[in-house]
């Protein structure tokens, strides 16, 4: 029996006859020859159809099969170093399942709005294909990294009764009987509860921000990884983030070479992602900015996008900016004992001007201080009653961070816009398809 | 320097002095001895504190440390076959970080409502701890299974413009500018699009059902795995589901022995989960029911909970019921060419009366038939325009299934109620904590 295989696995079948099942990605014909660039989701391969080798019917059918026609091809696998991917199929038999004409997305340029409206079809193009396979690799590397270290994946809930970081950017849901629920902006508070139960945990799921911003860095729905570690200090958190990013980039370099080539990614940029990453205090970062763009950044303020660009371009690897003024950071962050005006926090800025991909901190573990800050920020105390319990019953030093998946993928892939890193991006004016 | 380690890794440190960081799970004292059952999230271990071995202060402090007090203990690791876990710590030094009195969840019985309202603390109890670690193992086994087979994880969106299977059980979200969005009930339709782009895919994320049911099998928010395979038939789908379940159960048996013991799980029930699973047509299933409980099931109807219980108790492993009457199944399922009154679908019922954990099918790949069915079901055609494109441009046979994570975990753990399989279960009247 002729084995059915995938393009990804052709190396195991050189000299054999196999069956591939896929779609016409591209086609050209020359007299008695059709050259079909076949895609099957796992890769792309050139299939040569010589009129003398196949039935007249099949030769004819392939001649009329336009882009995205579905077909099954059986043929001999040859090593062909000049061919993209290194193999070529000498077709002997096959079947065109559906002849397609007029596939909407052609090799010509299309505007972003047209492509986004056809995202379900656009995903079949080479670039989105490569991005989605790298995204998959990033996800599985992240999970493997934590699995290997004995972290436990505990998913935080999506429906929450209250906001983690203010209420202005929350999506409201009509729950039962006119009750309201809100979509989570971050699983962190819940991850803190599970870290107290399971030690080292992570959650990794979709999060939601109803931000009215239309920048190339924002989505209303994005996936976030949030590890949380009992007994961790800020230094532990920074080390974990550093190790994670190195592990993920290494995994992509090893397992997604073809895809990085499709994206024409400059690999030297990725090869330089090794520990140690530069660690820069907020004060040092401000000093660096003053030198590069005098007067642009006001001491005490958070960094804006232009500031992040300068900081992230100053290094060839992610830079960890730590100890921001407490005023610009969240209520749950612990103060630095050495300088109580600062929070024990870290933002990791990816290189090449991508900006923040990680935000983390050591958490405030003192009940009274935390309670004071909830009052100070005028947050609804009763909504945080359960959270305060964590400081009432066996409080310990702990910390963690949040990593935005799509921003991380955008950085690794070298994408202009974060929306390309999401399979079906949701933005302010887009929830279709 | 004394190494800091976790209880899970004590086997590597027998005869050494190590530091553990955790919480008092239980404690008893007898004259000059304290016996602390320490938990650190990775496991439980007995720590023996002899008055002569430690400072007076520490001995005193441990004496006053109630359940869930946080503490760091340094001591000698001894192999102790009689101790649960097989090790014991001879404490030499340490520190009580926070002394706790009156932890709300004591070894005595608490009602389910009390426990659910204290879920953030209840997770520290032994049973929830074991369930969450098994849940983590199930998640990572599922992802490993698909990674190893070259599937690509592509997440389906949570915000959707329309319903996949009717609108009555949809949660509505206030999107921007008075626009409405809906929370996904299933990622399948999107997974079909990505399968056409990437071949073999899966999505695995939270899904939402606004069902007004308060049974022990329902949550309003639950995680669902949905593999989707281009060029797959119903038989391929069934085989994939069977292999997955065997793989997952085997992984839990190998990696979560301690946790299964905590749950007092009957392991013989899990050891019998091997291929092949019984495959039963709807007609055969009806005949079986007629014999077991004459008149209970009306031919043509879907199976109710009592029917599922009988069917699932009839076998020692999951039973695959296939080819239901098309009327009781979704519009997107392909008809059986051998009997067009039937859909090419399968439900997998877990044993021990758990009921359905998987629902899958081969999908209708013919544009006209699918369009006809969308009209027949009076579904909004324009909302499915993109979905119909998948049949317009290179349609191929394909299929997949959805597996409910919490039900699967409930089955493997032997839980009465699916809510125990969710870290923070959401139900009709519960979104707190």
């Amino acid at each position: 029996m002729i084995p059915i295989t995938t393009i990804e696995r052709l190396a195991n079948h050189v000299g054999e006859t196999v069956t591939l099942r896929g779609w016409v990605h591209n086609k050209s014909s020359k007299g008695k020859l059709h050259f079909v660039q076949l895609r099957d989701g796992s890769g792309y391969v050139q299939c040569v159809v010589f009129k003398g080798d196949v039935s007249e019917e099949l030769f004819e059918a392939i001649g009329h099969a336009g882009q995205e026609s579905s077909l099954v091809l059986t043929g001999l696998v040859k090593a062909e170093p000049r061919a993209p991917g290194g193999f070529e199929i000498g077709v002997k038999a096959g079947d065109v399942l559906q002849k397609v004409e007029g596939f909407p997305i052609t090799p010509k340029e299309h505007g972003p709005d047209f492509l986004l409206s056809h995202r379900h079809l656009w995903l079949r193009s080479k670039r989105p294909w490569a991005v989605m396979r790298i995204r998959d690799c990033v996800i599985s590397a992240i999970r493997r990294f934590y699995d290997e270290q004995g972290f436990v994946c505990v998913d935080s809930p999506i429906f929450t009764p209250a906001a983690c970081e203010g209420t202005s950017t929350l999506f409201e849901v009509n729950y039962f009987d006119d009750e309201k629920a809100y979509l989570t902006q971050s699983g962190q508070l819940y991850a803190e509860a599970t870290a107290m139960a399971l030690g080292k945990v992570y959650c990794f799921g979709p999060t939601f921000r109803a931000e009215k911003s239309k920048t190339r860095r924002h989505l209303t729905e994005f996936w976030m990884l949030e590890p949380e570690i009992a007994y961790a200090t800020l230094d532990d958190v920074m080390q974990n983030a550093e190790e994670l990013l190195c592990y993920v980039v290494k995994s992509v370099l090893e397992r997604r070479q073809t895809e990085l080539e499709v994206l024409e990614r400059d690999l030297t940029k990725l090869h330089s992602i090794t520990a140690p990453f530069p660690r820069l205090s907020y004060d040092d970062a401000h000093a660096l900015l003053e030198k590069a763009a005098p007067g642009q950044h006001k001491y005490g303020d958070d960094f804006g996008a232009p500031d992040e660009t300068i900081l992230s371009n100053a290094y060839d690897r992610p830079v960890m900016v730590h100890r921001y003024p407490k005023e610009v950071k969240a209520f749950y962050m612990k103060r630095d004992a050495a300088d109580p005006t600062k929070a024990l926090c870290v933002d990791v800025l990816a290189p090449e001007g991508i900006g923040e991909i990680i935000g983390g901190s050591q958490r405030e573990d003192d009940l009274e201080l935390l309670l004071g800050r909830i009052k100070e920020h005028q947050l609804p105390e009763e909504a945080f009653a359960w959270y305060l319990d964590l400081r009432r019953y066996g409080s310990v030093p702990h910390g963690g961070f949040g990593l935005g998946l799509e921003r991380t993928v955008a950085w690794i892939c070298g994408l202009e816009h974060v929306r390309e890193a999401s399979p079906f991006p949701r933005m302010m004016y887009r929830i279709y398809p």
Side-chain angles (χ1 to χ4, degrees), chain A residues 328-405:
Chain A
V328 303
K329 288 293 177 185
F331 75 93
Y332 51 71
M333 294 182 181
K334 195 175 171 70
R335 303 289 179 256
D336 187 3
D339 174 3
T341 69
K342 299 287 175 13
L344 286 175
C345 65
V346 62
D347 279 7
V348 182
L349 312 178
E352 302 175 69
I354 286 282
E356 185 193 337
I357 51 170
I358 282 179
S361 71
Q362 189 173 333
R363 320 305 188 187
E364 182 52 72
D365 49 10
D366 183 278
L367 177 63
E368 292 310 319
L369 292 178
L370 190 61
L371 190 57
R373 259 177 256 148
I374 285 173
K375 285 177 180 158
E376 198 180 298
H377 283 75
Q378 300 183 302
L379 294 166
E381 206 181 311
E382 63 288 0
F384 290 95
W386 68 266
Y387 184 62
L388 290 165
D389 274 353
L390 308 180
R391 275 61 173 178
R392 204 169 268 130
Y393 301 112
S395 188
V396 304
H398 65 287
F401 62 82
L403 169 142
L405 175 64

Side-chain angles (χ1 to χ4, degrees), chain A residues 20-330:
Chain A
L20 293 173
R21 306 183 294 190
W23 296 265
V24 174
H25 182 63
N26 221 325
K27 205 189 63 186
S28 61
S29 298
K30 206 178 162 184
K32 295 181 174 176
L33 285 168
H34 295 309
F35 300 94
V36 177
Q37 209 195 356
L38 184 78
R39 67 164 195 87
D40 72 349
S42 82
Y44 296 81
V45 70
Q46 172 152 290
C47 302
V48 182
V49 191
F50 174 58
K51 200 170 178 176
D53 286 348
V54 298
S55 72
E56 223 166 285
E57 251 175 311
L58 180 62
F59 191 81
E60 187 85 354
I62 291 176
H64 290 100
Q67 190 191 342
E68 286 305 317
S69 296
S70 45
L71 75 179
V72 175
L73 292 177
T74 297
L76 184 68
V77 184
K78 302 173 206 171
E80 175 48 85
R82 287 166 308 174
F87 304 99
E88 198 178 84
I89 307 293
V91 175
K92 296 177 182 172
D95 192 13
V96 175
L97 300 192
Q98 190 186 34
K99 189 182 85 171
V100 170
E101 282 173 279
F103 187 70
I105 299 172
T106 56
K108 72 161 192 175
E109 283 274 316
H110 295 283
D113 216 59
F114 178 85
L115 290 173
L116 286 167
S117 295
H118 292 81
R119 183 63 172 173
H120 55 295
L121 303 177
W122 183 26
L123 286 167
R124 304 184 190 186
S125 300
K126 244 180 185 172
R127 273 182 63 89
W129 171 83
V131 173
M132 285 306 120
R133 285 178 58 92
I134 289 171
R135 186 180 191 275
D136 161 75
C137 182
V138 170
I139 294 168
S140 85
I142 288 173
R143 292 189 179 263
R144 211 165 51 245
F145 176 80
Y146 286 109
D147 284 359
E148 284 171 3
Q149 291 185 42
F151 280 65
V152 182
C153 172
V154 192
D155 298 302
S156 292
I158 306 294
F159 286 136
T160 58
C164 171
E165 308 185 37
T167 52
S168 61
T169 56
L170 277 180
F171 284 111
E172 190 183 83
V173 181
N174 302 312
Y175 210 65
F176 295 98
D177 301 337
D178 295 325
E179 210 187 332
K180 298 290 174 198
Y182 301 92
L183 299 182
T184 185
Q185 294 187 299
S186 155
Q188 178 200 317
L189 304 194
Y190 292 95
E192 289 185 57
T194 58
M196 300 302 119
L198 292 132
K200 296 185 289 184
V201 301
Y202 68 98
C203 61
F204 192 2
T207 52
F208 305 86
R209 304 262 164 109
E211 280 176 288
K212 288 207 165 186
S213 55
K214 297 193 285 179
T215 80
R216 57 192 185 81
R217 294 192 197 178
H218 285 90
L219 296 169
T220 56
E221 172 184 331
F222 61 98
W223 281 62
M224 185 145 67
L225 161 78
E226 295 176 272
E228 190 74 31
I229 314 170
Y231 286 96
T233 62
L234 177 61
D235 277 345
D236 297 328
V237 169
M238 291 203 277
Q239 194 187 323
N240 188 268
E242 181 181 77
E243 286 172 7
L244 172 71
L245 291 176
C246 292
Y247 186 97
V248 167
V249 170
K250 190 161 168 275
S251 176
V252 172
L253 280 168
E254 283 168 7
R255 300 179 51 213
R256 293 294 188 255
Q257 248 180 307
T258 311
E259 293 80 359
L260 291 168
E261 267 168 45
V262 166
L263 298 172
E264 297 173 319
R265 184 69 171 117
D266 181 350
L267 297 187
T268 60
K269 305 270 194 210
L270 296 180
H271 280 294
S272 55
I273 309 304
T274 50
F277 296 167
R279 285 155 166 79
L280 211 60
S281 72
Y282 173 90
D283 287 2
D284 290 345
H286 173 75
L288 187 153
L289 287 170
E290 268 304 282
K291 231 170 156 178
Q296 176 179 294
H297 176 252
K298 197 175 136 227
Y299 186 87
D301 283 1
D302 201 354
F303 299 120
D307 305 321
E308 286 192 0
T309 304
I310 292 174
L311 291 171
S312 101
N313 279 329
Y315 302 92
D316 66 344
R317 61 199 77 191
V319 51
M320 306 180 122
V321 186
H322 56 86
R323 294 179 169 79
Y324 285 58
K326 63 181 171 54
E327 288 77 12
V328 303
K329 288 293 177 185

